[in-house]
Coordinates of all heavy atoms in Angstrom, one line a residue:
Q220 N 75.1 106.3 86.8 CA 74.8 106.6 85.4 C 75.8 105.9 84.4 O 76.3 106.6 83.5 CB 74.7 108.1 85.2 CG 73.6 108.8 86.0 CD 72.3 108.2 85.6 OE1 71.9 108.1 84.4 NE2 71.5 107.9 86.6
A221 N 76.0 104.6 84.6 CA 77.0 103.9 83.8 C 76.7 103.9 82.3 O 77.6 103.8 81.5 CB 77.1 102.5 84.3
D222 N 75.4 104.2 81.9 CA 75.1 104.2 80.5 C 75.1 105.7 79.9 O 74.8 105.9 78.8 CB 73.7 103.6 80.3 CG 72.6 104.4 81.0 OD1 72.9 105.1 82.0 OD2 71.4 104.2 80.6
A223 N 75.5 106.6 80.7 CA 75.6 108.0 80.3 C 77.0 108.4 79.9 O 78.0 107.9 80.5 CB 75.1 108.9 81.4
V224 N 77.1 109.3 79.0 CA 78.4 109.9 78.6 C 78.3 111.4 78.7 O 77.4 112.0 78.1 CB 78.9 109.5 77.2 CG1 80.2 110.2 76.8 CG2 79.0 108.0 77.1
M225 N 79.2 112.0 79.5 CA 79.2 113.5 79.6 C 80.3 114.0 78.6 O 81.4 113.4 78.6 CB 79.5 113.9 81.0 CG 79.7 115.5 81.1 SD 80.0 116.0 82.7 CE 78.3 116.2 83.3
I226 N 79.9 114.9 77.8 CA 80.9 115.6 76.9 C 81.1 116.9 77.5 O 80.1 117.7 77.7 CB 80.3 115.7 75.5 CG1 80.0 114.4 74.9 CG2 81.4 116.5 74.6 CD1 79.3 114.4 73.5
G227 N 82.3 117.2 77.9 CA 82.6 118.5 78.6 C 83.9 119.1 78.1 O 84.7 118.5 77.4
D228 N 84.2 120.3 78.7 CA 85.4 120.9 78.3 C 86.2 121.5 79.5 O 87.0 122.3 79.4 CB 85.2 122.1 77.3 CG 84.3 123.2 77.8 OD1 83.8 123.0 79.0 OD2 84.1 124.2 77.1
T229 N 85.8 121.0 80.7 CA 86.5 121.4 81.9 C 86.9 120.2 82.8 O 86.2 119.1 82.7 CB 85.7 122.4 82.7 OG1 84.5 121.7 83.3 CG2 85.2 123.6 81.9
T230 N 87.8 120.4 83.7 CA 88.1 119.4 84.7 C 86.9 119.2 85.6 O 86.7 118.1 86.1 CB 89.4 119.8 85.5 OG1 89.2 121.1 86.1 CG2 90.6 119.9 84.6
H231 N 86.1 120.3 85.8 CA 84.9 120.1 86.6 C 83.9 119.2 86.0 O 83.2 118.5 86.7 CB 84.3 121.5 86.9 CG 83.2 121.5 87.8 ND1 83.2 120.9 89.1 CD2 81.9 121.9 87.7 CE1 82.1 121.0 89.7 NE2 81.2 121.6 88.9
D232 N 83.9 119.2 84.6 CA 83.0 118.3 84.0 C 83.4 116.8 84.2 O 82.6 115.9 84.4 CB 83.0 118.5 82.4 CG 82.3 119.8 82.1 OD1 81.3 120.2 82.8 OD2 82.7 120.5 81.1
A233 N 84.7 116.6 84.3 CA 85.2 115.2 84.6 C 84.8 114.9 86.0 O 84.4 113.7 86.3 CB 86.7 115.2 84.4
D234 N 85.0 115.8 86.9 CA 84.6 115.5 88.3 C 83.1 115.2 88.4 O 82.7 114.4 89.2 CB 84.9 116.7 89.2 CG 86.4 117.0 89.3 OD1 87.2 116.0 89.1 OD2 86.8 118.1 89.7
T235 N 82.3 116.0 87.7 CA 80.8 115.8 87.7 C 80.5 114.4 87.1 O 79.6 113.7 87.7 CB 80.1 116.9 86.9 OG1 80.5 118.2 87.5 CG2 78.6 116.7 86.9
A236 N 81.1 114.0 86.0 CA 80.9 112.7 85.5 C 81.2 111.6 86.5 O 80.4 110.7 86.7 CB 81.7 112.5 84.2
R237 N 82.3 111.8 87.2 CA 82.7 110.8 88.2 C 81.6 110.7 89.3 O 81.3 109.6 89.8 CB 84.0 111.1 88.8 CG 85.2 110.6 88.0 CD 86.5 110.6 88.8 NE 87.6 110.3 87.9 CZ 88.2 111.3 87.1 NH1 87.9 112.5 87.2 NH2 89.1 110.9 86.3
A238 N 81.2 111.9 89.7 CA 80.2 111.9 90.8 C 78.9 111.2 90.4 O 78.2 110.7 91.2 CB 79.9 113.4 91.2
M239 N 78.6 111.3 89.1 CA 77.4 110.6 88.6 C 77.6 109.2 88.2 O 76.6 108.5 87.9 CB 76.9 111.3 87.3 CG 76.4 112.7 87.5 SD 76.1 113.6 85.9 CE 75.3 112.4 84.9
G240 N 78.8 108.7 88.2 CA 79.1 107.4 87.8 C 79.0 107.2 86.3 O 78.8 106.1 85.8
A241 N 79.2 108.3 85.6 CA 79.1 108.3 84.1 C 80.5 108.3 83.5 O 81.5 108.7 84.1 CB 78.3 109.6 83.7
D242 N 80.5 108.0 82.2 CA 81.7 108.1 81.4 C 81.8 109.5 81.0 O 80.9 110.3 81.1 CB 81.7 107.2 80.2 CG 83.0 106.8 79.7 OD1 84.0 107.4 80.1 OD2 83.1 105.9 78.8
C243 N 83.0 109.9 80.4 CA 83.2 111.3 80.1 C 84.1 111.4 78.9 O 85.1 110.6 78.8 CB 83.8 112.1 81.3 SG 83.9 113.8 81.0
I244 N 83.9 112.3 78.0 CA 84.8 112.6 76.9 C 85.0 114.1 77.0 O 84.1 114.9 77.1 CB 84.2 112.3 75.5 CG1 83.8 110.8 75.4 CG2 85.2 112.7 74.4 CD1 83.0 110.5 74.2
L245 N 86.3 114.5 77.0 CA 86.6 115.9 77.2 C 87.1 116.6 75.9 O 87.8 115.9 75.1 CB 87.7 116.1 78.3 CG 87.2 115.6 79.7 CD1 88.4 115.5 80.6 CD2 86.1 116.5 80.2
Y246 N 86.6 117.8 75.6 CA 86.9 118.5 74.4 C 87.9 119.6 74.7 O 87.6 120.5 75.5 CB 85.6 119.0 73.8 CG 85.8 120.0 72.7 CD1 86.4 119.7 71.5 CD2 85.2 121.3 72.8 CE1 86.5 120.6 70.5 CE2 85.4 122.2 71.8 CZ 86.0 121.9 70.6 OH 86.1 122.8 69.6
S247 N 89.1 119.6 74.0 CA 90.1 120.5 74.3 C 89.9 121.9 73.7 O 90.7 122.8 73.9 CB 91.5 120.0 73.8 OG 91.5 119.9 72.4
G248 N 88.9 122.1 72.9 CA 88.6 123.4 72.3 C 87.8 124.3 73.1 O 87.3 125.3 72.6
G249 N 87.7 124.1 74.4 CA 86.8 124.9 75.3 C 87.6 125.6 76.4 O 88.6 126.3 76.1
H250 N 87.1 125.5 77.6 CA 87.5 126.3 78.7 C 88.9 125.8 79.3 O 89.6 126.7 79.9 CB 86.5 126.3 79.8 CG 85.3 127.1 79.5 ND1 85.3 128.4 79.4 CD2 84.0 126.7 79.2 CE1 84.1 128.9 79.1 NE2 83.3 127.8 79.0
C251 N 89.2 124.6 79.2 CA 90.5 124.1 79.8 C 91.4 123.6 78.7 O 91.0 123.1 77.7 CB 90.2 123.0 80.8 SG 89.4 123.5 82.3
G252 N 92.7 123.7 78.9 CA 93.7 123.2 78.0 C 93.8 121.7 78.0 O 93.4 121.0 78.9
R253 N 94.4 121.2 76.9 CA 94.5 119.8 76.7 C 95.3 119.1 77.9 O 94.8 118.0 78.3 CB 95.2 119.5 75.4 CG 95.4 118.1 75.0 CD 96.0 117.9 73.6 NE 96.1 116.5 73.3 CZ 95.1 115.7 73.0 NH1 93.9 116.2 73.0 NH2 95.4 114.5 72.7
D254 N 96.4 119.7 78.3 CA 97.1 119.0 79.4 C 96.3 118.8 80.7 O 96.4 117.8 81.3 CB 98.4 119.8 79.7 CG 99.4 119.7 78.5 OD1 99.3 118.7 77.7 OD2 100.3 120.5 78.5

């Protein structure tokens, strides 16, 4: 899914984007901290 972008707020969202072959933008105002 190289043309997809996942917007998420967890490290699991990042893992899911990688599994899909998608890009990802993470939002620090949700479930996981910025670091």
